[in-house]
Amino acid sequence: MTTAAKQRSKEELEAWSSRFLQDGHPEPILKNRTRLVDEIVLEAFSRTLLDSCADGVSLLAVGGYGRRELFPYSDVDLLLLVRRPPESPEFKGALSEFLRLIWDSGLRASHSIRTVEECCFVHEGNFELTVSLLDQRFLAGDSPLFAALQERFRKFITAERRELLRRLSRMSRARHGRFHDTIYRLEPDVKETPGGMRDLQTIHWLEMLRENGPDIELDPRHASFLSAVRCFLHFRAGRDHNLLNFEAQDEISAVPFSPWHDPAQWMRAYYRHASHIFRASLTSLEAAEAQDRSLLANFRDWRSRLSNSEFTVSRDLVFLRNPHGLDVDHQLPLRLFLFLARHGVPLARETERRLVDHVIAWARLFRDEPPQVSFWREFLSLPHASEAMRAMRATGFLSVILPEWERIDHLVVRDFYHQYTVDEHTNVTLEVLEGLKDAKDPAARPFAELLEESAGDGWLMRLALLLHDIGKGSGRDHSEEAVRLARVFLARIGASELDAALVLFLIEKHLLLPAALQ
């Protein structure tokens, strides 16, 4: 069996790869690989475990295999459901042979053996088992035993719903934190980074667990695009490899199915899709966390006293008291972002969606009546300006009041200075500057003291940072181009001659400091 199965698997993967590189459709790959693996696993089960212990054992597909979302070289997650913990040498021998047949067929199998009781219990340190069981699928064996698991598992989910939602939300937030809550790494891991496959799965799991809440509307093209990227990376590496490095970006932009043959343009498309997925995952997390009435949630509600006549702070999120005000008062979003920059409270997803819906109309209004220098001075002097800037970017509002920003939105530049896209690099730089006041590193103190000495003029440095890279991607010297664009912007907002001169000087000379440090 194993030699023939391995050869068949190899031949089918090669055929799928050839078709995929032409059309870029991932769905047939996932469907056909699941079908092939089902056949191999079921044959191995019938030859080893079926006769000896079928009355007390069910074979289940779980995780991605259970969802029928097997990528070309993904692991095959199996669960052997047993009536009681197996101890007989016969079972252990049959299990060993079962796994050997699967591995010798060219599949990477991951298995666990659990009773119904063990499946319906939150295991400390192994919450992933519970998550994988959300996507259980019966393959073979004792069907009444599987039915018993389904009934017991439904009751378990109902009883432990709040705890499961809390753990899943916490696990997802921690994963986002490992990547600094940004999708904009130049070489992203398409499985784990924010906006990746794991976020798509988290949306799916949270919707399965929630009793009620908003349906998360996500265009299926975003998931299809990301699945195509992961299929490409697997075929390219011949293994379960998910890092979209520079070499892979060059290659995927050159394949026949890619509409973008410039790697930088291709990556801008990737970030657009990832941003939709990331925002949908945050919406889903927010909806799940809203159901959590724990002591911590109540404690965080102390910030509700920040509410005013225009904005409500609830569950540590900002809502509009009168959403219809956005239709008649285009200054309202400016006051909203000043509120965020002052207090550091994030937008609710509902508020974010309302802002996105108005962006096109505001683009026309602010073109004729741009925010003046007084807004930028106040905004960039507030303690949480970089966080508010992220919200501006997420809603598209930053490009409305600073049209030059569109040039660097999602822009990839491969050079010594950038770990992120150009727009994210700018945001991170502003965050670092804000963090200087609380820096513990002795090497950072001199810079913090210099910033303190600038007193009321610190906003000009932040404005220069905001504008310093807007000349990227022009094909010309980016410092000179940034100066040219910044001069137009500064005139548009009514900056004084002295302030404009200082900002333009900092932009023009911004490469001197890294040059000196090197």
Side-chain angles (χ1 to χ4, degrees), residues 97-138:
E97 178 64 10
F98 169 68
L99 295 174
R100 184 193 69 79
L101 289 175
I102 292 175
W103 277 86
D104 287 353
S105 298
L107 305 180
R108 288 169 50 90
S110 173
H111 81 285
S112 61
I113 304 172
R114 303 285 175 179
T115 63
V116 170
E117 290 72 21
E118 289 172 330
C119 288
C120 301
F121 181 79
V122 179
H123 295 267
E124 292 297 331
N126 191 18
F127 182 60
E128 290 78 5
L129 171 65
T130 301
V131 173
S132 71
L133 282 166
L134 292 173
D135 295 305
Q136 57 185 266
R137 180 166 61 90
F138 179 75

Side-chain angles (χ1 to χ4, degrees), residues 425-451:
H425 165 85
T426 300
N427 222 137
V428 170
T429 306
L430 287 167
E431 288 172 344
V432 170
L433 194 63
E434 283 180 358
L436 281 177
K437 65 181 184 298
D438 301 317
K440 306 299 183 185
D441 184 357
R445 286 309 307 162
F447 296 101
E449 291 166 4
L450 285 172
L451 191 61

Side-chain angles (χ1 to χ4, degrees), residues 253-289:
S253 63
V255 296
F257 69 77
S258 173
W260 310 277
H261 296 301
D262 172 59
Q265 289 299 318
W266 190 93
M267 284 303 295
R268 294 183 91 166
Y270 169 84
Y271 293 123
R272 284 194 292 271
H273 286 288
S275 66
H276 283 283
I277 294 169
F278 186 39
R279 285 201 300 272
S281 76
L282 295 178
T283 301
S284 191
L285 284 167
E286 183 181 308
E289 290 163 348

Side-chain angles (χ1 to χ4, degrees), residues 357-416:
D357 289 342
H358 286 77
V359 160
I360 294 176
W362 286 335
R364 295 191 295 269
L365 291 168
F366 283 109
R367 182 182 57 213
D368 300 328
E369 189 183 336
Q372 292 301 285
V373 69
S374 58
F375 166 79
W376 292 102
R377 181 188 296 112
E378 182 178 3
F379 179 76
L380 293 171
S381 298
L382 292 170
H384 304 286
S386 65
E387 187 174 341
M389 188 81 69
R390 284 198 178 279
M392 281 187 177
R393 289 171 55 202
T395 59
F397 189 73
L398 183 57
S399 294
V400 167
I401 60 174
L402 175 57
E404 292 82 1
W405 186 264
E406 190 68 29
R407 300 165 63 102
I408 62 169
D409 186 47
H410 299 156
L411 179 62
V412 173
V413 174
R414 302 178 186 179
D415 62 20
F416 175 79

Side-chain angles (χ1 to χ4, degrees), residues 176 179-189 193-196 199 267-279 281-282 390 393 410 419-421 423-424:
H176 289 166
F179 297 98
H180 303 285
D181 297 283
T182 179
I183 68 170
Y184 295 109
R185 289 189 171 272
L186 293 186
E187 295 182 295
D189 181 318
T193 51
D199 274 354
M267 284 303 295
R268 294 183 91 166
Y270 169 84
Y271 293 123
R272 284 194 292 271
H273 286 288
S275 66
H276 283 283
I277 294 169
F278 186 39
R279 285 201 300 272
S281 76
L282 295 178
R390 284 198 178 279
R393 289 171 55 202
H410 299 156
Q419 298 181 46
Y420 308 99
T421 57
D423 54 341
E424 180 68 3

